[in-house]
């Protein structure tokens, strides 16, 4: 605007803009890391260039169940419409071949009632009436206006064939709808995992922990938890393995390795020599290209169907030196769970070194705990001193207020020279 009004020369404005653009650093946004399993449990995998598409038709029932709801409803509707139209054409051809349509067109009045005993299907005069009769046969409505006679064995064969085809379509489509509504992953919607995982010291060992819970009162029977680490590795021969899976043992005192998921639990993995996290420190964790996949499996108590819930944690979602807060309390003889604090964590003292260094030098843990204790004591001293200072200031302010409220004493001189003191 200033250049247009000739207040500042245009050459100066262009040079200034060019200089500002050169000074600005061009920072490219960091691309998000591709994860194998999304937080919702869906597999982040795209299948491309599948040439043998006919394999999906060999297992048509599973294909129908895996389709989206809108596709399933379209197939459900079209299967019935196509079957009705197909058999309507067959019924019209039967009536046309037997001469029923011409007979109804040529005769009228009382003569038409006499034709009912000689035609294959009564009152089938056009394709519309044949279509209505096809619907009545397959859906077993039976309004009574159209019915079969004994004149055409071919019509009886078509009737039997349509009943069989209708039963097959009903069984397949209704079974498909039922399986889609009762799929196992629907139950997994109420199985929740903590947003972040933590690494902290438990029983003198570094542990990888996360929290899992069930929002429903109906339980998951024989629930078990599996943990896997997925990362990109390179073999000594130079082969690159993009998705290398490693199992992680779960610390479970129960020999059957099942959990009783009646309340939210903290699943713990001790980072020892068998763990892929054994040589990773807090500094190395931010640069690690790994993903920890958590799989919870169990049987639904109400339906008996096996369900599976999944989630994953990448390096940015693992908090080092944190611990989950307690959310289970006892209130009036009943255990209460506060799900508003389900994923809340607090910072605790934890060594920043790897589990391997901690095993080689156990004194690191002792020093870390001592430093944490000293810092805790110093914070307590500061808190107590602040409280003491605040109480002293409060007392001083109260004293000043009381002193301002004291009534002054007034002295009176009598003629005899005596002094009388009174308060006004």
């Amino acid at each position: 605007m200033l250049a247009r009004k000739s207040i500042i020369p245009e050459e100066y404005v262009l040079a200034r803009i060019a200089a500002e653009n050169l000074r600005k650093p061009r920072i490219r946004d960091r691309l998000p890391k591709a994860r194998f399993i999304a937080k919702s449990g869906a597999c982040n995998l795209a299948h491309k260039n599948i040439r043998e598409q006919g394999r999906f038709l060999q297992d048509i029932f599973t294909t129908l169940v895996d389709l989206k709801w809108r596709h399933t409803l379209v197939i459900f509707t079209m299967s019935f419409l196509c079957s009705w139209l197909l058999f309507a054409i067959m019924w019209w051809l039967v009536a046309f071949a037997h001469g029923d349509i011409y007979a109804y067109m040529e005769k009228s009045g009382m003569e038409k009632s006499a034709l009912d005993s000689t035609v294959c299907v009564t009152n089938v005069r056009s394709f519309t009436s044949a279509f209505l009769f096809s619907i009545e046969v397959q859906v077993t409505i039976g309004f009574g206006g159209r019915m079969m006679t004994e004149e055409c064995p071919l019509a009886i064969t078509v009737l039997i064939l349509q009943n069989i085809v209708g039963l097959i379509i009903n069984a397949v489509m209704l079974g498909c709808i039922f399986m889609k509504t009762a799929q196992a992953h629907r139950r997994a919607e109420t199985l929740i995992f903590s947003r972040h995982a933590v690494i902290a010291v438990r029983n003198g060992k570094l542990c990888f922990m996360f929290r899992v819970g069930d929002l429903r009162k109906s339980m998951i029977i024989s629930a078990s938890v599996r943990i896997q680490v997925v990362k990109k590795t390179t073999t000594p021969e130079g082969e690159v393995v993009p998705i290398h899976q490693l199992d992680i043992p779960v610390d479970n005192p129960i020999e059957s390795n099942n959990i009783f998921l009646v309340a939210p639990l903290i699943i713990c993995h001790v980072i020892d020599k068998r763990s892929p996290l054994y040589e990773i420190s807090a500094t190395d964790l931010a640069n690690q290209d790994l993903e920890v996949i958590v799989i919870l499996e169990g049987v639904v108590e109400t339906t008996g169907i096996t369900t599976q819930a999944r989630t994953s944690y990448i390096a940015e979602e693992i908090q080092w030196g944190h611990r989950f807060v307690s959310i289970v309390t006892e209130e009036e003889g009943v255990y209460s769970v506060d799900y508003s604090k389900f994923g809340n964590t607090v910072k605790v003292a934890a060594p920043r070194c790897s589990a391997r260094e901690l095993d080689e030098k156990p004194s690191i843990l002792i020093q870390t705990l001592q430093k944490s204790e000293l810092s805790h004591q110093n914070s307590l001293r500061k808190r107590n001193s602040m409280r003491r200072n605040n109480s002293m200031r409060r007392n001083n302010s109260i004293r000043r207020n009381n002193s301002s409220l004291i009534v002054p004493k007034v002295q009176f001189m009598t003629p005899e020279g005596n002094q009388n003191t009174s308060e006004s």
Side-chain angles (χ1 to χ4, degrees):
M1 183 182 293
L2 295 177
R4 290 179 182 178
K5 294 181 179 180
S6 301
I7 298 176
I8 298 176
E10 187 175 358
E11 295 81 5
Y12 178 77
V13 175
L14 294 176
R16 184 67 179 272
I17 293 174
E20 290 179 356
N21 290 335
L22 290 175
R23 291 172 191 165
K24 291 180 181 180
R26 296 181 179 179
I27 302 175
R28 294 182 178 179
D29 295 336
R30 185 179 177 183
L31 295 176
K33 178 186 177 297
R35 58 198 310 159
F36 190 58
I37 299 294
K39 296 298 290 184
S40 60
C43 295
N44 188 20
L45 189 66
H47 298 276
K48 297 182 179 180
N49 300 326
I50 300 177
R51 298 179 179 178
E52 299 181 1
Q53 298 288 344
R55 291 182 177 270
F56 294 98
L57 297 178
Q58 295 178 3
D59 188 10
I60 186 63
F61 186 78
T62 305
T63 304
L64 291 175
V65 174
D66 291 339
L67 288 176
K68 296 182 179 180
W69 269 107
R70 57 177 178 268
H71 299 155
T72 303
L73 293 177
V74 168
I75 294 174
F76 180 83
T77 305
M78 293 303 298
S79 62
F80 284 103
L81 288 177
C82 291
S83 64
W84 294 339
L85 287 172
L86 175 63
F87 283 99
I89 294 172
M90 296 178 67
W91 286 118
W92 185 84
L93 291 175
V94 168
F96 180 79
H98 195 261
D100 299 344
I101 297 177
Y102 290 108
Y104 277 107
M105 290 174 63
E106 292 175 355
K107 297 182 180 181
S108 61
M110 297 299 294
E111 296 179 353
K112 285 187 177 181
S113 61
L115 290 174
D116 292 343
S117 60
T118 60
V119 297
C120 294
V121 181
T122 59
N123 295 328
V124 176
R125 302 182 178 89
S126 62
F127 181 77
T128 304
S129 58
F131 180 73
L132 293 175
F133 181 71
S134 175
I135 296 176
E136 293 178 14
V137 170
Q138 188 164 336
V139 190
T140 63
I141 298 176
F143 291 115
R146 283 168 286 271
M147 62 180 181
M148 290 281 301
T149 63
E150 302 175 357
E151 295 294 325
C152 300
L154 180 61
I156 298 174
T157 305
V158 174
L159 177 65
I160 296 172
L161 182 61
Q162 186 173 3
N163 285 329
I164 295 174
V165 173
L167 290 174
I168 293 174
I169 294 176
N170 289 335
V172 173
M173 297 311 301
L174 293 179
C176 177
I177 297 296
F178 173 76
M179 290 301 298
K180 284 186 71 66
T181 54
Q183 280 184 337
H185 66 84
R186 302 295 179 187
R187 179 62 176 87
E189 296 294 334
T190 53
L191 297 174
I192 58 176
F193 299 88
S194 58
R195 183 71 181 176
H196 295 86
V198 298
I199 293 179
V201 178
R202 176 182 279 190
N203 298 326
K205 296 286 186 180
L206 277 177
C207 298
F208 172 86
M209 294 174 285
F210 61 92
R211 178 173 277 165
V212 61
D214 187 5
L215 299 179
R216 290 187 181 273
K217 290 185 178 180
S218 58
M219 295 176 53
I220 298 294
I221 304 172
S222 302
S224 62
V225 176
R226 293 189 293 115
I227 307 177
Q228 289 184 346
V229 170
V230 176
K231 62 180 180 178
K232 184 178 180 180
T233 58
T234 304
T235 62
E237 294 78 14
E239 180 185 1
V240 178
V241 182
I243 303 176
H244 183 57
Q245 301 181 15
L246 298 172
D247 286 332
I248 292 182
V250 179
D251 184 20
N252 194 350
I254 304 176
E255 295 181 358
S256 61
N257 202 26
N258 293 334
I259 58 175
F260 187 53
L261 195 59
V262 66
L265 299 177
I266 297 176
I267 307 300
C268 176
H269 158 66
V270 179
I271 305 177
D272 52 11
K273 296 181 179 180
R274 301 174 298 170
S275 175
L277 310 175
Y278 186 62
E279 298 181 356
I280 298 177
S281 62
T283 307
D284 300 334
L285 182 62
N287 301 324
Q288 290 291 322
D289 186 14
L290 59 85
E291 180 180 356
V292 181
I293 298 176
V294 179
I295 303 172
L296 172 63
E297 292 180 338
V299 179
V300 182
E301 184 181 19
T302 54
T303 61
I305 301 175
T306 302
T307 185
Q308 184 182 93
R310 299 179 296 267
T311 191
S312 67
Y313 301 97
I314 57 178
E316 289 80 4
E317 297 171 347
I318 301 176
Q319 298 178 347
W320 194 290
H322 284 72
R323 183 183 298 164
F324 289 104
V325 299
S326 178
I327 61 175
V328 180
T329 56
E330 187 176 356
E331 299 177 358
E332 298 179 357
V334 178
Y335 287 99
S336 176
V337 180
D338 186 5
Y339 281 98
S340 64
K341 303 177 182 179
F342 183 80
N344 294 0
T345 60
V346 293
K347 199 169 184 179
V348 294
R352 309 288 295 178
C353 63
S354 63
R356 180 177 182 179
E357 296 177 1
L358 188 62
D359 290 344
E360 294 175 354
K361 298 178 181 179
S363 59
I364 297 177
L365 178 60
I366 299 174
Q367 294 174 2
T368 303
L369 295 178
Q370 290 178 352
K371 290 180 181 179
S372 175
E373 186 66 23
L374 290 175
S375 63
H376 182 64
Q377 292 178 0
N378 292 332
S379 64
L380 287 178
R381 291 195 193 96
K382 291 181 180 179
R383 196 178 302 168
N384 293 332
S385 63
M386 291 177 63
R387 290 178 180 175
R388 199 179 302 111
N389 294 334
N390 292 333
S391 62
M392 292 176 64
R393 292 172 185 170
R394 196 180 300 109
N395 293 333
N396 292 333
S397 63
I398 293 173
R399 289 174 184 174
R400 292 194 203 98
N401 295 333
N402 293 335
S403 62
S404 62
L405 295 175
I406 295 176
V407 180
K409 296 181 179 181
V410 182
Q411 295 181 355
F412 296 94
M413 299 296 295
T414 58
E416 289 80 8
N418 297 328
Q419 297 180 356
N420 294 328
T421 304
S422 64
E423 295 181 357
S424 61

